[in-house]
């Protein structure tokens, strides 16, 4: 049996600095109302786990980058970062 | 003035999208050089987007007055009286450039902007429509853009609780590099409670409310005033994110505020943000305003006066209230969880002075900023391409022996296919007014508390406008009116969104001038005032302009909502009649484009007096309860209109058998797009009454067949030309759009 | 009979519900503002309307469950008062745990607005008594997060207790995947609590209850509520 | 000047096993269409950054847990995990 390498990309997508985060704003507001006064700021973002088969880390890296730019993140307003685990 | 102000270099002037002549004009009239913040203010206020400097001269050709008009162009939106103490407030606006860069947010903030224009005037927004244009359906970016734009409109409109009741969506390669997103909004207001955007009453406080100001969208207005090129990427951080939830709160807070007698004047912060609303409100009030920037609610640290003044953060308003009412107003805003602060005061001298912690950073005469941009009477020149395309030679287009395949191909083409994939993503029912849901010629909304209803339609065939902008624009008006008439209403007002290429090119200016003239003539002819509008120029990418696209939206009134009529056939056994003349006209047709990939010829001839007589006939057939369905023939001609009348019924499609007599080519007979034709259906008993009515007004009219069966059968001069099961046609027509865009 | 329509920030079918109760059914109807701390005991029916409370940020209904008024609504429900949650109101009710399960994004990934047939699964509730014999109603839906989810155990319980009140179906009542617009478990469109006094549903009965439209199927639900209250039978 | 301790909670929220993740499924589909055949699975989730002031790690921990259970995650369908950075 051939063991096909598996890679797991963990991707975080958040709004760029200065871009309004309406969700974060509303959630922050709700937390204040609930009495969590210690909270000084909230950022809402997306988290994706992408499982890949039959690719090495070197192969996976540019592919994930491409997926992020093409599909996952809207680079006009969002930035992304990811890690690769095998 | 702050001494540290850097001197303005020619480079800085250019970066602000201004010419050196304009800068010199500012210096001359101001008697000094502006500082950088002031330069920023001039650059947005004198931009094409805000100043209409290329278009203003021509727009004067549009008729803007009428007995029902309560407010014409010049305010945030136009207002037309509908009787019963009520008025409608409406406008259409473009968000083309932002939507190309970031379709979801661009379209969403477009909806937000037009909503604010409406409730700013005291009106409850009750309907949205959108006119969308994308590149070729198979262009690699089209899918992404369509999905983003529709999602953005859906999200924002739905969340604010304003139904999106209609619209249009077209695909054409001319929009590959420049999509169009035009959004229309209509609101309802008691006719004696209309609010305007003026600052009067010296000493009255100026209150900022809504969301906080961030660094977003700085220079959106000047972006909308230049062409796209590779460096548009650089302009990207200017994209704003919309917060429909904040907008919903803003709507409710504003309407509640306007129930009180506190408001002097109110205006939203749209393009050019705080700057524009401050200067325009002072301009309309003949006053000045003193503004203190440190009081402006801010989202970010370290914002400069330049940032604060030019930010296009969304969901913000400026209001002047009567002195002494500020605390009440602030309390009301806080009730709705909105940020709010007193940021300034109305002054008597017509000058806007802006301070940061007491230091004056701007001091500019209102008139110079608001009205100082020179009207450019830009040169015009008939474009050379017209010589190549303005005739069509049918010699090498063989006529059709049968029409089945063509009909199916047309029904499945993205421009003709059913648009439910789009409008089912929009809440089109909320607020319980939508009597006529999307899917018929016009949307129809009841006016609660009255017998009346409103009919809305938005239209433009830009292929026609490319081939002949004058008549193309006339046809857009005529078709919109016809859609209203088919739904049981008469037109009472019009708004337009003029989308064109780069006005610095004489050929584009020629298209613009022609289209505005044509539109103006048609409006005068039909007696429809143009009460608001918007101009979007520079829709070009790397020198490629879009087809001229003067989109029009017409608002119609049904004196009685029971006049509401839909386009689909109702009963087996009903007769089908065609009002109007079919001529051999294939120029600019969807047929030539889909079947032969040709965009050429003259658009169909529009006989305005005939159009009016036909409209009147159709309306009287509806009002007398004779016509039970009415559908206008537009793209795809008689063939497509017949098919739609069979298959657009929300539940069950129904067949029909038609016998058409013709002396022209078969393809022109079924798929040509001759104007002013309406398909009506009526019971067999009504036949004589209908025929007599048509005869009395001398309008071409023929009974061409009968509703019934499972198939659409069309015989031409006794020979079968089309015979297709309607369930099959319906499937093709319903599923096509999704197959392109999903 | 006293009806109250709750207004959360972002509610947008509040006017529609108010209109139907007050102007079509001529019931005494009041607004209930979300910030109020109030005694709801004088009401016979509380409606949580559709819309996007708090923008539907985070999850639909997630933030609204903590608004001041919900404490009162929970108390009202626990003491047997009748609560009807429509669309966003349903989402709030599940977030507040007054009803079991959860509502997640439609499997189509899109907002869906159209009229769909729903089958009435239980015509003996205080909200559906008048539906007997009319087991398929055509009611508009308009939502983005309307896919009902519950785990298999929970589902079994719902079924056993006859708590499933509405299911999406075909024109003649076929409950199949083909007629499931949003991916809801078991085509579930609406449920009731065990005690029978709190009902939530995604379809909008208030959108087909005004005589200005030909379809009045939604009236059956309002008529059922009125009838059951008039007959004084507790839910 | 008193330095107020700052804590940053990084919270990941994902669907529980057995709950269909429609968005993840759609994104996976889109990736296949774009030719990313190596991708064998996708999980979509939410990512929140909550900034807190004036609290120690020990104080922050139970508070964040509470926020997650109460507000950020709907534990009927979602699970959460978080880390705390100072
Ligand atoms: N972008 C859109 N948004 C909402 N409704 C739309 C949109 N595009 C088309 N529609 C609706 O679909 C129906 C058909 O539109 P269209 O083919 O443009 O009609 P017509 O040819 O009569 O102008 C209309 O009811 C219209 O309002
Ligand atoms: Mg039409």
């Amino acid at each position: 049996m051939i063991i096909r390498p598996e890679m797991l990309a963990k991707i975080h997508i958040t709004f760029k600095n200065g871009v309004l985060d309406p969700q974060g704003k509303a959630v922050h507001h709700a937390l204040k109302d609930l009495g969590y006064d210690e909270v000084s700021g909230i950022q809402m973002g997306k988290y994706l786990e992408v499982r890949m088969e039959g690719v090495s880390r070197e192969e996976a890296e540019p592919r994930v980058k491409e997926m992020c730019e093409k599909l996952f993140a809207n680079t006009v307003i969002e930035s992304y970062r990811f890690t690769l685990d095998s | 003035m702050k001494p540290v102000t850097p001197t303005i270099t020619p480079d800085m002037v250019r970066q602000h999208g201004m010419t050196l002549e304009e800068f010199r004009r500012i210096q001359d009239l101001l008697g000094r050089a502006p500082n950088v913040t002031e330069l920023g203010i001039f650059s947005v206020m004198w931009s094409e987007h805000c100043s209409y400097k290329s278009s203003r001269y021509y727009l004067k050709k549009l008729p803007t007055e009428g007995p029902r008009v309560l407010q014409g162009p010049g305010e945030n939106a136009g207002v037309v009286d509908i009787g019963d103490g009520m008025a409608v407030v409406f406008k259409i606006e473009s968000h083309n450039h932002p939507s190309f860069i970031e379709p979801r947010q661009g379209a969403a903030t477009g909806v937000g902007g037009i909503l604010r224009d409406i409730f700013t005037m005291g009106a409850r927004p009750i309907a949205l429509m959108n006119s969308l244009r994308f590149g070729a359906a198979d262009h690699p970016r089209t899918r992404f853009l369509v999905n983003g734009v529709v999602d953005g409109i859906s999200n924002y409109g739905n969340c604010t609780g304003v139904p999106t009741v209609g619209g249009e969506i077209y695909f054409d390669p001319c929009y590959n590099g420049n999509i169009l997103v035009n959004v229309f909004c209509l609101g309802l207001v008691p006719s004696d409670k209309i609010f305007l955007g003026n600052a009067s009453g010296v000493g009255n406080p100026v209150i900022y409310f809504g969301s906080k100001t961030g660094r977003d969208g700085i220079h959106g207005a000047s972006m909308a005033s230049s062409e796209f090129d590779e460096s548009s990427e650089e302009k990207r951080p200017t994209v704003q994110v919309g917060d429909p939830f904040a907008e919903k709160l803003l709507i409710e807070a504003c309407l509640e505020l306007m129930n009180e007698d506190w408001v002097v004047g109110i205006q939203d912060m749209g393009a050019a943000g705080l700057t524009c609303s401050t200067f325009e409100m002072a301009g309309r009030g003949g006053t000045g305003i003193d503004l203190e920037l440190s009081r402006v609610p801010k989202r970010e640290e370290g914002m400069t006066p330049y940032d604060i003044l030019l930010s296009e953060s969304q969901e913000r308003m400026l209001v002047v209230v009567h002195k002494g009412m500020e605390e009440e107003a602030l309390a009301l805003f806080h009730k709705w969880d909105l940020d709010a602060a007193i940021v300034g005061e109305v002054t008597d001298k017509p000058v806007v002075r802006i301070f940061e912690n007491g230091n004056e950073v701007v001091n500019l005469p209102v008139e110079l900023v608001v009205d100082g941009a020179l009207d450019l009477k830009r040169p015009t020149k008939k474009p050379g391409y017209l010589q190549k395309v303005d005739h069509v030679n049918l010699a090498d287009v063989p006529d059709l022996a049968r029409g089945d395949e063509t009909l199916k191909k047309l029904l499945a083409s993205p421009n003709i296919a059913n648009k439910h994939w789009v409008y089912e993503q929009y809440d089109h029912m909320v607020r319980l007014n939508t009597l006529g849901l999307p899917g018929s010629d016009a949307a129809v909304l009841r006016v609660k508390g009255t017998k009346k209803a409103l009919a809305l339609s938005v239209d433009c065939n830009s292929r026609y406008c490319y081939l002949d902008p004058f008549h193309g624009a006339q046809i857009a008006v005529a078709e919109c009116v016809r859609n209203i008439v088919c739904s049981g209403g008469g037109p009472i007002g019009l708004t337009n969104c003029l989308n064109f290429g780069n006005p610095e090119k004489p050929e584009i200016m020629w298209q613009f001038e022609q289209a505005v003239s044509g539109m103006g003539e048609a409006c005068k002819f039909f007696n429809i005032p143009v009460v608001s509008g918007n101009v979007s120029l520079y829709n070009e990418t790397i020198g490629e302009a879009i087809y001229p696209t003067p989109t029009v939206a017409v608002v119609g009134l049904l004196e009685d909502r029971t006049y509401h009529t839909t386009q689909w056939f109702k009963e087996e056994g009903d007769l089908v009649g065609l009002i109007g003349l079919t001529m051999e006209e294939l120029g600019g047709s969807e047929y030539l484009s889909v079947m032969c990939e040709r965009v050429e010829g003259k658009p169909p001839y529009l006989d305005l007096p005939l159009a009016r007589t036909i409209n009147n006939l159709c309306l009287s057939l509806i009002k007398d309860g004779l016509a039970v369905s009415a559908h206008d023939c537009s793209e795809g001609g008689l063939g497509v209109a017949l098919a739609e009348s069979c298959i657009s019924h929300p539940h069950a499609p129904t067949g029909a058998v038609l016998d058409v007599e013709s002396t022209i080519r078969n393809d022109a007979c079924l798929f040509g797009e001759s104007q002013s034709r309406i398909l009506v259906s009526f019971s067999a008993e009504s036949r004589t009454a209908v025929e007599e009515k048509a005869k009395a007004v001398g309008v071409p009219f023929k009974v061409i067949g009968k509703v019934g069966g499972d198939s659409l059968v069309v015989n031409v001069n006794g020979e079968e030309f089309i015979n297709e099961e309607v369930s099959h046609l319906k499937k093709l027509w319903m599923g096509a759009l999704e197959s392109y865009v999903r | 009979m006293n009806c109250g329509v709750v207004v959360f920030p972002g509610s947008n079918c509040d006017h529609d519900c108010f209109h139907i109760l007050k102007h079509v059914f001529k019931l005494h109807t009041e607004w209930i503002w979300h910030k109020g701390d109030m005694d709801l005991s004088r009401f016979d029916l509380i409606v949580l309307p559709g819309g996007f409370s708090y923008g539907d940020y985070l999850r639909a209904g997630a933030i609204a469950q903590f608004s001041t008024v919900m404490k009162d609504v929970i108390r009202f429900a626990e003491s047997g008062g009748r609560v009807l949650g429509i669309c966003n109101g349903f989402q709030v009710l599940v977030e507040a745990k007054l009803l079991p399960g959860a509502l997640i994004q439609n499997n189509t990934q899109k907002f869906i607005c159209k009229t769909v047939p729903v089958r009435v699964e239980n015509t003996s509730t205080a909200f559906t008594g008048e539906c007997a014999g009319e087991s398929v109603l055509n009611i508009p839906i308009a939502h983005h997060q309307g896919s009902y989810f519950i785990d298999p155990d929970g589902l079994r319980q719902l079924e056993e207790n006859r708590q499933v009140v509405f299911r999406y179906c075909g024109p003649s009542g076929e409950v199949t995947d083909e007629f499931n617009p949003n991916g809801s478990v078991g085509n579930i469109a609406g449920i009731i609590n065990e005690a029978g006094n709190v009902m939530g549903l995604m379809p909008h009965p208030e959108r087909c209850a005004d005589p200005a439209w030909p379809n009045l199927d939604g009236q059956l639900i309002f008529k059922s509520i009125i009838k059951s209250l008039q007959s004084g039978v507790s839910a």
Side-chain angles (χ1 to χ4, degrees), chain A, chain B, chain C:
Chain A
M1 200 187 120
I2 307 162
I3 297 178
R4 318 217 316 141
E6 266 223 358
M7 297 296 301
L8 182 66
K10 297 181 174 173
I11 305 166
H12 289 83
I13 296 161
T14 45
F15 276 122
K16 283 186 175 163
N17 259 343
V19 177
L20 175 73
D21 171 16
Q23 275 208 85
K25 183 177 137 190
V27 172
H28 191 179
H29 205 95
L31 284 177
K32 290 259 171 226
D33 281 353
L34 287 171
Y36 293 101
D37 293 320
E38 69 270 41
V39 175
S40 59
I42 288 227
Q43 262 269 21
M44 283 281 297
K46 283 179 242 166
Y47 173 66
L48 281 104
E49 287 185 359
V50 178
R51 200 167 294 281
M52 286 176 291
E53 267 176 27
V55 284
S56 65
R57 176 179 300 270
E58 290 65 40
E59 288 163 338
E61 171 110 31
R63 296 287 277 180
V64 174
K65 183 157 190 278
E66 209 180 81
M67 291 177 214
C68 287
E69 307 237 326
K70 253 192 181 156
L71 195 63
F72 302 151
N74 177 351
T75 50
V76 180
I77 46 176
E78 293 168 328
S79 48
Y80 65 88
R81 62 193 156 80
F82 64 88
T83 57
L84 279 169
D85 296 353
S86 50
Chain B
M1 292 296 105
K2 272 194 181 166
V4 287
T5 304
T7 38
I8 310 262
T9 63
D11 246 8
M12 290 167 71
V13 172
R14 250 180 315 241
Q15 274 164 15
H16 279 80
M18 299 187 93
T19 63
L20 292 174
E21 289 77 38
E22 283 172 320
F23 183 69
R24 246 171 267 130
R25 184 176 155 78
I26 294 169
Q27 263 184 316
D28 289 349
L29 292 172
L30 202 57
R32 63 173 168 89
N35 63 35
V36 182
T37 307
E38 293 171 332
L39 178 68
I41 290 175
F42 277 108
S43 87
V44 290
M45 294 298 290
W46 285 19
S47 71
E48 192 64 59
H49 188 78
C50 294
S51 75
Y52 289 84
K53 59 190 168 191
S54 301
S55 58
R56 195 151 51 177
Y57 171 81
Y58 298 101
L59 295 177
K60 290 184 191 134
K61 293 185 182 172
L62 299 171
T64 59
E65 279 160 25
R68 288 182 184 272
V69 177
L70 301 181
Q71 177 65 58
E75 275 287 341
N76 290 300
V79 187
V80 176
D81 190 66
I82 59 165
D84 292 315
M86 307 290 281
V88 286
V89 180
F90 58 90
K91 189 182 180 190
I92 187 168
E93 205 158 63
S94 66
H95 233 211
N96 304 337
H97 292 80
S99 302
F100 188 72
I101 294 179
E102 207 305 275
R104 191 171 192 274
Q105 295 301 335
T109 51
V111 175
I114 193 69
L115 281 169
R116 286 193 292 282
D117 277 333
I118 302 308
F119 66 76
T120 288
M121 304 202 63
R124 157 77 68 182
I126 60 163
L128 289 162
M129 293 198 289
N130 54 89
S131 164
L132 311 178
R133 276 147 224 274
F134 298 97
D138 54 8
H139 185 273
R141 253 179 91 75
T142 296
R143 235 172 67 175
F144 164 75
L145 291 168
V146 173
N147 277 278
V149 165
V150 172
D151 194 41
I153 293 173
S154 154
N155 198 263
Y156 206 101
N158 297 351
C159 185
T160 50
V162 182
T164 300
V165 297
E168 53 171 356
I169 176 168
Y170 280 95
F171 299 84
D172 192 290
C174 76
Y175 303 107
N176 280 351
N178 274 90
I179 63 172
L180 301 185
V181 175
N182 295 176
V183 196
F184 165 98
C185 183
L186 175 134
L188 202 56
V189 66
S191 39
D192 58 351
K193 290 215 90 176
I194 296 161
F195 290 83
L196 301 179
N198 57 20
S200 49
V202 175
N204 280 334
V206 178
I207 302 179
Y208 168 116
F209 68 104
S211 297
K212 293 184 168 70
T213 296
R215 279 202 184 84
D216 27 18
I218 291 172
H219 277 309
S222 26
M223 175 171 80
S225 307
S226 62
E227 272 185 50
F228 273 137
D229 51 33
E230 286 84 359
S231 77
S232 298
E233 298 267 321
E234 315 271 295
K235 296 178 181 162
R236 281 183 162 183
T238 60
V239 171
Q240 313 105 303
V241 171
D243 181 355
F245 172 54
E247 181 95 341
K248 170 69 175 163
L249 302 181
L250 213 50
I251 296 177
E252 300 304 331
C254 275
L255 295 178
E256 199 172 306
L257 174 75
M258 288 157 169
N259 267 331
E260 312 289 346
D261 302 326
W262 309 336
V263 178
V264 174
I266 180 164
Q267 175 153 341
D268 63 299
M269 298 188 213
L274 185 55
T275 295
C276 187
S277 39
T278 306
F279 277 92
E280 284 193 358
M281 284 185 80
R284 295 201 197 94
T287 54
I289 287 180
D290 279 356
L291 215 59
E292 171 53 59
L293 294 180
S294 64
R295 302 207 198 124
V296 170
K298 291 177 270 301
R299 206 172 71 222
E300 294 174 60
E301 310 266 295
M303 291 184 69
T304 63
Y306 188 99
D307 294 341
I308 300 167
L309 285 164
L310 298 188
S311 158
E312 291 189 1
S313 288
Q314 299 290 296
E315 293 95 23
R316 302 178 301 157
M317 308 281 294
L318 204 63
V319 62
V320 175
V321 301
H322 289 291
K323 197 165 176 57
M325 292 303 148
E326 49 271 37
E327 289 312 318
E328 279 87 345
L330 290 176
L332 191 152
F333 298 137
H334 292 145
K335 170 188 163 191
W336 286 99
D337 295 330
L338 296 167
D339 276 295
I342 300 170
V343 293
E345 192 177 291
V346 179
T347 59
D348 58 349
K349 213 167 138 223
V351 166
V352 166
R353 298 190 302 169
I354 300 174
F355 302 87
E356 189 190 34
N357 297 313
N359 299 317
E360 188 174 278
V361 290
V362 168
N363 184 329
L364 292 173
V366 173
E367 208 191 325
L368 177 60
V369 174
V370 175
D371 284 321
L374 275 187
D375 273 4
L376 304 169
K377 192 169 175 294
R378 295 194 188 269
T380 65
K381 181 173 162 235
K382 187 169 177 176
Y385 74 82
L386 283 171
Q387 272 193 349
K388 263 185 277 162
V389 299
D390 74 354
H391 52 280
V392 54
N393 182 0
L394 293 176
D396 52 346
V397 180
D399 192 11
L400 300 169
R402 282 200 67 101
D404 319 66
E405 291 314 311
T406 307
L407 176 64
K408 286 190 279 188
K409 214 159 167 187
L410 284 174
L411 287 176
S413 78
N415 289 342
I416 290 179
N418 178 283
K419 309 300 188 305
H420 75 102
W421 182 87
V422 178
Y423 60 68
E424 282 174 2
Q425 295 185 50
Y426 304 149
D427 189 342
H428 44 258
M429 305 177 188
V430 62
R431 300 204 71 76
L432 298 188
N433 297 317
T434 324
L435 295 173
L437 307 178
S440 195
D441 282 322
V444 176
L445 295 121
R446 70 162 166 189
V447 181
K448 283 197 194 101
T450 75
K451 287 197 310 191
K452 291 178 177 145
L454 298 162
L456 312 176
S457 173
V458 59
D459 230 302
C460 177
N461 182 317
S462 65
R463 202 182 290 138
Y464 294 171
C465 295
Y466 168 73
L467 297 171
D468 178 346
F470 183 90
H471 292 102
Q474 289 203 325
I475 289 174
V477 175
E479 176 167 355
C480 234
V481 171
R482 204 157 51 243
N483 282 333
I484 302 286
V485 164
C486 287
S487 307
I492 57 167
L494 182 147
T495 179
N496 63 52
C497 194
L498 306 173
N499 307 275
F500 288 78
N502 181 348
E504 293 155 33
K505 295 184 184 163
E507 290 82 2
I508 300 286
M509 246 4 251
W510 183 85
Q511 293 176 335
F512 185 83
E513 189 225 324
Q514 289 286 308
V516 174
S517 308
M519 182 180 294
E521 269 193 24
C523 290
K524 278 180 204 145
F525 185 83
F526 287 115
N527 237 325
I528 314 174
V530 179
V531 295
S532 57
N534 177 240
V535 178
S536 169
L537 301 174
Y538 296 97
N539 290 290
E540 299 208 13
T541 296
I542 321 177
E544 279 291 315
I546 58 164
Y547 287 169
T549 313
T551 305
V552 303
V554 173
V555 174
L557 185 65
L558 287 72
E559 289 299 336
D560 191 318
R561 67 167 187 248
T562 59
Y563 298 156
H564 172 213
T565 304
T566 47
Q567 68 183 33
W568 47 86
F569 293 147
K570 305 288 183 302
E571 296 271 351
E572 296 245 336
D574 280 353
L575 300 178
V576 180
L578 175 63
I579 314 175
L581 263 184
T582 305
M583 292 177 284
E584 191 164 296
E585 296 177 300
L586 285 171
S589 64
E590 194 71 20
Y591 168 74
L592 272 192
S593 161
V594 171
M595 305 306 288
C596 315
E597 293 184 12
R598 285 161 71 159
V599 178
E600 55 186 37
K602 291 219 171 9
Y605 172 66
L606 173 66
D607 179 339
L608 284 170
L610 178 64
R612 180 165 58 195
T613 320
I614 284 174
N615 288 348
N616 289 342
L617 172 64
C618 179
L619 257 186
S620 88
L621 292 177
I622 289 175
K623 289 185 180 176
D624 291 348
L626 294 168
V628 296
S629 78
H631 187 24
D632 84 304
C633 298
S634 57
E635 285 86 8
L638 179 61
V640 166
L642 282 167
E644 286 177 345
S645 300
C646 288
I647 62 184
S648 59
H649 192 291
H651 308 304
T654 163
V657 180
L658 297 309
D659 283 289
V660 183
E661 282 164 32
S662 163
T663 55
I664 57 173
R665 292 169 58 112
N666 288 339
D667 53 5
C669 176
L670 265 297
F671 306 115
E673 297 173 5
S674 285
Q675 289 298 296
S676 313
R677 291 180 302 166
I678 297 177
L679 270 180
V680 289
S681 69
F682 42 86
S683 71
E685 301 84 73
S686 310
R687 178 173 187 153
T688 330
V690 174
E691 280 176 335
E692 272 170 12
K693 272 186 164 274
K695 207 165 160 203
V697 291
V699 156
F701 174 80
K702 266 218 163 76
V703 174
I704 58 170
K706 202 182 210 165
V707 178
D710 297 326
S711 298
L712 171 64
V713 181
V714 183
N715 304 312
V716 179
N717 295 329
E719 271 190 55
E720 187 177 274
F721 186 65
I722 294 172
N723 186 342
E724 283 289 337
E725 277 186 27
V726 284
S727 57
H728 179 57
L729 295 178
K730 179 159 187 165
K731 208 165 150 191
L732 281 175
W733 181 65
M734 295 293 285
L737 184 60
E738 185 162 349
S739 71
Y740 287 105
V741 296
R742 235 189 99 144
Chain C
M1 169 173 173
N2 287 329
C3 308
V5 177
V6 174
V7 184
F8 296 111
S11 291
N12 65 31
C13 303
D14 45 348
H15 282 85
D16 299 353
C17 292
F18 191 91
H19 170 78
I20 296 299
L21 293 169
K22 176 135 180 163
H23 299 122
V24 175
F25 289 101
K26 314 276 183 223
L27 301 170
H28 175 83
T29 308
E30 291 175 35
W31 300 112
I32 302 176
W33 181 242
H34 67 102
K35 275 183 194 167
D37 214 342
M38 75 197 264
D39 177 16
L40 301 180
S41 62
R42 66 202 154 88
F43 290 105
D44 300 294
L45 171 71
I46 301 286
V47 177
L48 305 188
F52 290 68
S53 56
Y54 299 88
D56 273 2
Y57 291 138
L58 202 57
R59 292 178 313 277
I63 302 179
Q65 64 174 308
F66 296 111
S67 61
T68 325
V69 71
M70 278 311 290
K71 288 191 197 74
D72 304 317
V73 171
I74 291 168
R75 211 174 303 131
F76 178 79
E78 280 168 354
S79 62
R82 245 150 261 198
V83 180
L84 174 64
I86 300 171
C87 196
N88 195 234
F90 185 17
Q91 293 161 340
V92 176
L93 289 175
V94 294
E95 283 285 339
K97 305 277 188 298
L98 282 174
L99 290 172
L103 288 152
I104 59 178
Q105 199 173 81
N106 299 343
N107 63 355
T108 60
Q109 297 292 303
K110 310 247 178 246
F111 190 95
I112 311 171
C113 176
K114 63 175 179 190
T115 298
V116 298
V118 291
R119 197 169 80 188
V120 187
E121 298 288 292
N122 183 345
T123 54
S124 59
T125 76
F127 297 84
T128 51
E130 296 293 294
C131 301
E134 305 245 7
S135 61
V136 176
L137 311 181
N138 286 297
I139 313 188
I141 53 171
H143 58 244
H144 203 164
Q145 296 177 43
S147 179
Y148 184 73
F149 174 83
I150 192 161
D151 60 28
D153 281 346
L155 181 62
R156 209 168 309 121
Q157 252 179 0
L158 278 185
E159 308 262 16
E160 273 167 18
N161 300 334
R162 300 198 62 206
Q163 283 174 255
V164 176
V165 186
F166 300 105
R167 286 186 212 269
Y168 302 108
C169 65
S172 18
E174 317 87 303
V175 175
T176 59
D177 280 350
E178 189 194 344
F179 298 110
N180 188 341
N182 55 20
S184 291
V185 167
N187 284 37
I188 290 176
I191 56 170
I192 198 163
N193 65 344
E194 247 190 289
N197 65 319
V198 178
M199 182 172 88
L201 76 170
M202 288 314 293
H204 285 269
E206 83 280 12
R207 293 189 180 189
C208 47
D210 184 310
W213 282 265
N215 175 11
L216 292 174
D217 285 359
Q219 284 202 348
L220 289 171
I221 292 170
F222 295 102
K223 283 182 179 162
S224 301
I225 300 171
I226 296 169
K227 192 84 174 272
S228 87
L229 280 167
Q230 279 168 349
S231 66
V233 187
S234 69

